[in-house]
Amino acid sequence: MRVVIAGGGLAGLTAALRAEELGAQVTLLEKGDSPGGSFIYSSGYVWSYVDLPTFRREVPGGDASLQGLVLGRLGSCLTWLEDAGGELLARETGNPLTFGARFDPEPTISALVERLEASGGEVLTETAFETLLEDNAGRVTGVLARSSGGAREYDADAVILASGGFAGDPELVGRHIIRGPRRMLVRAHPRSTGDGFRAALQRGALASAGLDEFYGRNLPASPAEFPPEQFVEVSQLYGRYAVAINARGERYADENADWSETALTRATAHQPGLYAYYILDAAGLEGRVREQTAKVMVETARRTGGTVIEATSLTELADRLAERGVPRDAFLRTLKEYNAAIAAGESLAPPRSGQARPLRVPPFMAVKVAPSITHTVGGLAVDAGCRVLCKKDKRPIPGLYAAGVEVGGVSVGGYTSGLASALVFGNTAAESSVSGDPS
Ligand SMILES: Cc1cc2nc3c(=O)[nH]c(=O)nc-3n(C[C@H](O)[C@H](O)[C@H](O)COP(=O)(O)OP(=O)(O)OC[C@H]3O[C@@H](n4cnc5c(N)ncnc54)[C@H](O)[C@@H]3O)c2cc1C
């Protein structure tokens, strides 16, 4: 049994090692110069919501059977990762809505690669999967991949696509997500350019729901600069303590719609100019998100060269924002209406969840933020065995599997753990590919 895996992030490494354990001969193709994908930059929390009702409430548009798969298999897959040499940092997530564990990315990746190679698996870096090969009966029989040595075919009984979705492809992101020509910042490694997604669609695969959604964070906007190693640290995760204003000086979203601020980030991606300002007062700056205050995150934005404006009154802040193109009167009207509605306990449009406070205590701050994409939400439609489905008859395409971000539809309308999708779907794809396709 030969299995070829396209992509060496956590999904691909997991699928490769699990398939190898089950007796397959494995070749893992990685486009970059080393495996690891986005896991390297991540916080390392691999988690699920505590039960299905919570999962459905937090992520109502997602595929319920895939959510059930993540929930049901995560515990045993975490044990598998630990047994495979994954370096555990904590056995909890610190969030009462979720359970899971935290792994140290770099040593975990090294351990997976070492085990894979020690048991005879082949890891080929700087080798990019390009297209799927198939026989006359429509069964996937391998891949064509390219390295500096040229193009080469790799035969396989099963191919697992784990190339991480299309966050790094401006054309696909523009078409499906932003619906325009601008470029969204990429908060991930840049190599997931939709290679697996496109190749599968070309073979007749069915796309999942949620192609227009993404998971990401609002980051300090240009001219801020930071390396990928700081993606976690620079994230501006305090919209819940701020009023988010667009270039027209208007509120555009519920700043506190969800704990991960995914809805706010997604809404920011549809604002003119692809940016927003988070407006805070001194009380808001003291707001805490996990172990950090908003003030610390604002200071981080300032340190990276981002735009942080401080003023002693809202009118002064309005003057300073007007210099940057935000209409003064609209801004002041928005803040006045906001403060009045909160003080009177009246509803707002857009609505505002949770307990909000009026912005009254100087100093006032405006921080310019831009949405960034960590990974796509839509991708390939799969069954509960991670078999990629055919658009024509909704049946599995023989020999073709997907794992990680490549599996679409799990987190439509909310946020779920990308690392859990990598770990659980990586294990599942390996197991179903080795056990064979359903008849
Ligand atoms: C800053 C940051 C923090 C995060 N924190 C968390 C967290 O705490 N918890 C959590 O659950 N998630 C987190 N995530 C998300 C998580 O890291 C990802 O969802 C997960 O790592 C995705 O794994 P993957 O293997 O599916 O894809 P990726 O990690 O994107 O891996 C895909 C791999 O495929 C390779 N590739 C692409 N195209 C090809 C090709 N044509 N041929 C061969 N190889 C190819 C890429 O080079 C890459 O190595 C975070 C992400 C970031 C960036």
Side-chain angles (χ1 to χ4, degrees), residues 89-323:
L89 294 174
R91 281 187 206 281
E92 40 83 41
T93 62
N95 178 348
L97 294 176
T98 69
F99 75 97
R102 187 178 193 191
F103 286 85
D104 194 352
E106 287 211 33
T108 301
I109 291 161
S110 303
L112 293 174
V113 174
E114 260 170 46
R115 283 222 177 187
L116 183 57
E117 291 182 329
S119 54
E122 192 179 25
V123 178
L124 303 176
T125 53
E126 298 187 309
T127 305
F129 157 82
E130 284 190 353
T131 51
L132 294 165
L133 307 175
E134 60 178 309
D135 63 16
N136 290 338
R139 179 176 186 91
V140 171
T141 55
V143 305
L144 180 87
R146 193 173 295 276
S147 67
S148 58
R152 193 191 135 181
E153 291 187 358
Y154 295 83
D155 295 336
D157 300 295
V159 173
I160 301 176
L161 298 174
S163 53
F166 58 81
D169 186 78
E171 193 275 320
L172 284 174
V173 170
R175 187 182 343 149
H176 291 294
I177 298 175
I178 315 180
R179 305 228 166 90
R182 284 187 165 270
R183 282 197 172 204
M184 189 155 39
L185 297 172
V186 178
R187 181 183 173 263
H189 71 81
R191 298 176 301 277
S192 287
T193 50
D195 302 341
F197 177 69
R198 277 202 183 88
L201 291 194
Q202 218 167 10
R203 163 59 190 78
L206 177 68
S208 76
L211 286 181
D212 56 341
E213 294 191 17
F214 68 100
Y215 165 64
R217 292 266 194 254
N218 280 340
L219 300 182
S222 174
E225 281 185 24
F226 36 82
E229 291 72 25
Q230 289 178 15
F231 280 152
V232 170
E233 183 189 341
V234 302
S235 297
Q236 300 292 288
L237 190 62
Y238 52 86
R240 68 203 72 179
Y241 299 115
V243 177
I245 298 288
N246 65 15
R248 297 192 204 99
E250 295 163 349
R251 279 185 72 238
Y252 60 89
D254 179 350
E255 294 88 343
N256 196 22
D258 62 283
W259 60 272
S260 63
E261 299 190 4
T262 298
L264 180 58
T265 306
R266 287 178 186 167
T268 310
H270 296 289
Q271 299 314 303
L274 222 67
Y275 68 85
Y277 284 96
Y278 281 175
I279 314 296
L280 296 135
D281 71 353
L285 286 168
E286 298 307 322
R288 294 192 80 82
V289 180
R290 291 188 173 226
E291 64 279 4
Q292 291 201 88
T293 59
K295 193 179 197 167
V296 169
M297 292 184 258
V298 171
E299 280 315 309
T300 305
R302 201 199 300 266
R303 210 176 50 242
T304 61
T307 302
V308 178
I309 307 167
E310 190 169 340
T312 53
S313 67
L314 284 174
T315 45
E316 187 194 342
L317 197 62
D319 291 339
R320 304 277 305 279
L321 284 169
E323 291 162 13

Side-chain angles (χ1 to χ4, degrees), residues 5-13 29-32 34-47 102 124 127-130 145 162-165 187-196 215 228 230-232 235 374-375 403-406 415-422:
I5 291 136
L10 182 63
L13 287 169
L29 309 173
E30 167 53 47
K31 198 184 199 177
S34 59
S38 282
F39 187 25
I40 287 183
Y41 305 127
S42 81
S43 310
Y45 287 101
V46 193
W47 57 270
R102 187 178 193 191
L124 303 176
T127 305
F129 157 82
E130 284 190 353
S163 53
R187 181 183 173 263
H189 71 81
R191 298 176 301 277
S192 287
T193 50
D195 302 341
Y215 165 64
Q230 289 178 15
F231 280 152
V232 170
S235 297
T374 299
H375 59 72
V405 178
E406 217 81 271
Y415 169 46
T416 63
S417 165
L419 291 175
S421 287

